[in-house]
Amino acid sequence: MFFVLFLFLACCAGDQQKLEFKSGEMSSVRNNLAPAFAFDGNLTTLTHSKCNKGGIEIWMRLTLSELAEVTKLTVWPTHLNEHINKLRFDGTKVYVRVQEGEERYCGAVIIPSESGQTSSDIICEPPIIGNEVVFRLQKTAEEMACIHLFEVEAYGSEISSSEINSKY
């Protein structure tokens, strides 16, 4: 097992890079806190959807600059010290869109519970090739749901169409 882990780290860990987003959109926007703030590199700005009840889905889609093999996402949620607000975003499902109409599940946002922890890592296992990261949130009819976060970073490696054909 150790040898396999060593081979992975020697082979693949160095290939990971921070991927750039070029645009974003969401189902609704609260107070002009647009999705572009989710990838502006500034942990003092935030993006926020309108909140709702009733089991209605809220979504946010961030488009990568290039087609990429996504391995990890890091999310900095807001309202970490406010229990009720944490619950509104906790459990948001994250997908990578592989083509129009097809998304693959990467993981869910788990709001940090440890004191001092401010971000949540989502590992895409296995890595997913796509060009958009999609956040989807739907709570029960009684629960309030909102997407609210400071920043999102995506990691992986950009790939070309020819690499897709040879690799997969």
Side-chain angles (χ1 to χ4, degrees):
M1 180 69 177
F2 174 75
F3 182 70
V4 172
L5 178 61
F6 174 77
L7 284 177
F8 171 77
L9 291 173
C11 152
C12 307
D15 295 343
Q16 303 306 296
Q17 62 189 25
K18 182 178 170 191
L19 304 169
E20 299 298 321
F21 292 108
K22 68 177 179 180
S23 63
E25 61 182 316
M26 64 182 4
S27 54
S28 64
V29 177
R30 180 178 178 187
N31 298 332
N32 295 318
L33 300 172
F37 292 122
F39 55 91
D40 65 357
N42 187 342
L43 289 174
T44 62
T45 61
L46 65 109
T47 186
H48 204 305
S49 70
K50 292 181 180 175
C51 301
N52 71 41
K53 283 187 176 180
I56 299 168
E57 182 183 73
I58 298 171
W59 56 266
M60 179 173 71
R61 183 171 45 239
L62 303 177
T63 303
L64 293 165
S65 296
E66 300 291 334
L67 184 66
E69 183 176 57
V70 180
T71 57
K72 180 178 101 167
L73 298 155
T74 301
V75 177
W76 282 267
T78 64
H79 304 306
L80 291 177
N81 297 322
E82 302 169 30
H83 179 71
I84 194 69
N85 284 323
K86 286 195 312 188
L87 295 177
R88 294 176 180 182
F89 183 54
D90 196 36
T92 298
K93 295 179 179 176
V94 183
Y95 300 84
V96 176
R97 179 174 282 192
V98 295
Q99 60 185 5
E100 191 62 39
E102 184 184 350
E103 297 171 350
R104 295 207 179 128
Y105 181 71
C106 176
V109 175
I110 306 299
I111 301 297
S113 58
E114 294 180 30
S115 177
Q117 184 179 358
T118 59
S119 64
S120 175
D121 286 339
I122 303 160
I123 306 299
C124 299
E125 186 57 50
I128 305 168
I129 295 175
N131 68 339
E132 293 180 334
V133 174
V134 183
F135 292 79
R136 295 192 177 282
L137 177 61
Q138 187 171 6
K139 299 282 188 173
T140 67
E142 297 79 34
E143 296 176 301
M144 187 68 75
C146 310
I147 292 176
H148 48 75
L149 52 89
F150 289 116
E151 199 72 15
V152 176
E153 290 181 351
Y155 295 89
S157 54
E158 293 178 355
I159 57 172
S160 66
S161 299
S162 60
E163 285 178 294
I164 292 174
N165 297 332
S166 67
K167 241 179 155 175
Y168 304 94

